[in-house]
Amino acid sequence: MDPEILTVTSAAHVAAMREFNRFYTARLGLLSRRHLDGEFSLTEARMLYEIGANPQITATTLRATLRLDAGYISRLLSSLAKRKLVRQAVSAQDRRERRLTLTSLGEKKFALLNEQSAVQIGAILDGMSAIDRNALVQSLSTAQSILLQQRTSPVRIVRLSKMDDDVLRLINEYYEAINVTQRDTRATIRKIIQDEGSGVWLAYLGNQAVGCVVLKPLPSMGSAAECKRLYVQPRARGHGLADNLLDSIEAFARHNGLTWIYLDSFDALKAAVALYKKRGYVPCDRYNDNPQATIFLHKKVS
């Protein structure tokens, strides 16, 4: 197929999906400050639904289901708990986890939200013929099936125990993608992999390694490490792999008694910087001599 035709078709597909997104978000009132003109935001209402439909769900599972930042979920849960809608209890199986249930007041609010949502959707469907309703429901089912298949592609995050070709390939792709001038040698990468206090993690989609991240100690900062070489191949983006890689190094840092993770970036990497800030990384003073870096961030992880 002609590459130019493929590009035009892809752009048309993107435009079509964006147009539908604009249509249904307005049609269902999802742009309103409060969901269904009630007291909850859309995210809060969805959290109440997930907890009500899955009693004893953990906060980690809730975050993964909604694909939201851990800090954001934690703040919303605290708010719902203060309003006496959600009860949080330490899991008996894993004391690091919180199990979530609705209070009696939360159950009443959950039931009301369900009723209001059913009325809203019922009003939309009532204006259609039986043939159109069936066609719409079938189309939605097909769309959900396609998107779910894409979302549930097997994802694995693995901390390497030895050097392999995948890590060299991905790190070199990262270097070329943003034109890195200060590059690690093969020996340096091997040392990071072998050192108990550092590591290299690869992200796998199916059986293919499609992303990487490096964490290495920062002895000069005290109880700190530096995140480097966070990279996900363009074809593999949209699966949350960058978040998963950052989850892995942050968990490793906490397990090893570290307090801070530092990282640097530069102005052109807007998407990466936005991801870091969304995850709680905040500006700090320059801490290294990287000539390309213009942005310096850190996060307290324990």
Side-chain angles (χ1 to χ4, degrees), residues 85-145:
L85 299 170
V86 170
R87 185 181 298 109
Q88 305 184 62
V90 175
S91 170
Q93 288 75 35
D94 185 346
R95 297 192 63 80
R96 296 169 297 180
E97 283 283 9
R98 291 170 294 162
R99 296 204 171 270
L100 310 172
T101 54
L102 296 181
T103 64
S104 57
L105 177 59
E107 289 175 351
K108 291 177 183 178
K109 299 291 187 181
F110 168 57
L112 180 60
L113 282 169
N114 263 348
E115 181 182 347
Q116 291 173 324
S117 182
V119 168
Q120 181 198 45
I121 300 301
I124 294 173
L125 295 176
D126 285 344
M128 302 178 188
S129 67
I131 293 176
D132 285 343
R133 281 198 301 270
N134 289 335
L136 176 62
V137 170
Q138 182 59 51
S139 296
L140 293 175
S141 177
T142 300
Q144 181 178 2
S145 177

Side-chain angles (χ1 to χ4, degrees), residues 7 30 45 47 57 130 272 278 293:
T7 301
L30 303 182
M47 288 172 65
I57 188 174
K278 179 183 175 184

Side-chain angles (χ1 to χ4, degrees), residues 15-31:
M17 286 199 67
R18 291 185 64 193
E19 181 179 358
F20 181 74
N21 285 344
R22 292 192 294 271
F23 166 77
Y24 86 81
T25 51
R27 184 69 176 85
L28 297 181
L30 303 182
L31 302 178

Side-chain angles (χ1 to χ4, degrees), residues 166-184 210-214 227-234 237 263-266 269 272 276 290 292:
D166 285 332
V167 66
L168 294 174
R169 170 177 57 82
L170 287 166
I171 288 180
N172 282 325
E173 282 185 31
Y174 167 82
Y175 290 153
E176 296 303 320
I178 62 172
N179 194 28
V180 173
T181 56
Q182 288 188 344
R183 305 187 177 193
D184 295 318
V210 295
C212 62
V213 71
V214 172
C227 169
K228 302 289 288 182
R229 317 311 185 203
L230 177 63
Y231 173 70
V232 175
Q233 290 180 327
R237 292 168 190 171
L263 57 86
D264 64 36
S265 188
F266 58 93
L269 299 181
Y276 297 138
N290 182 356
Q292 289 182 287

Side-chain angles (χ1 to χ4, degrees), residues 250-270:
E250 289 173 13
F252 177 84
R254 284 191 293 270
H255 179 74
N256 284 273
L258 298 177
T259 304
W260 296 92
I261 292 180
Y262 285 76
L263 57 86
D264 64 36
S265 188
F266 58 93
D267 300 305
L269 299 181
K270 296 185 185 301

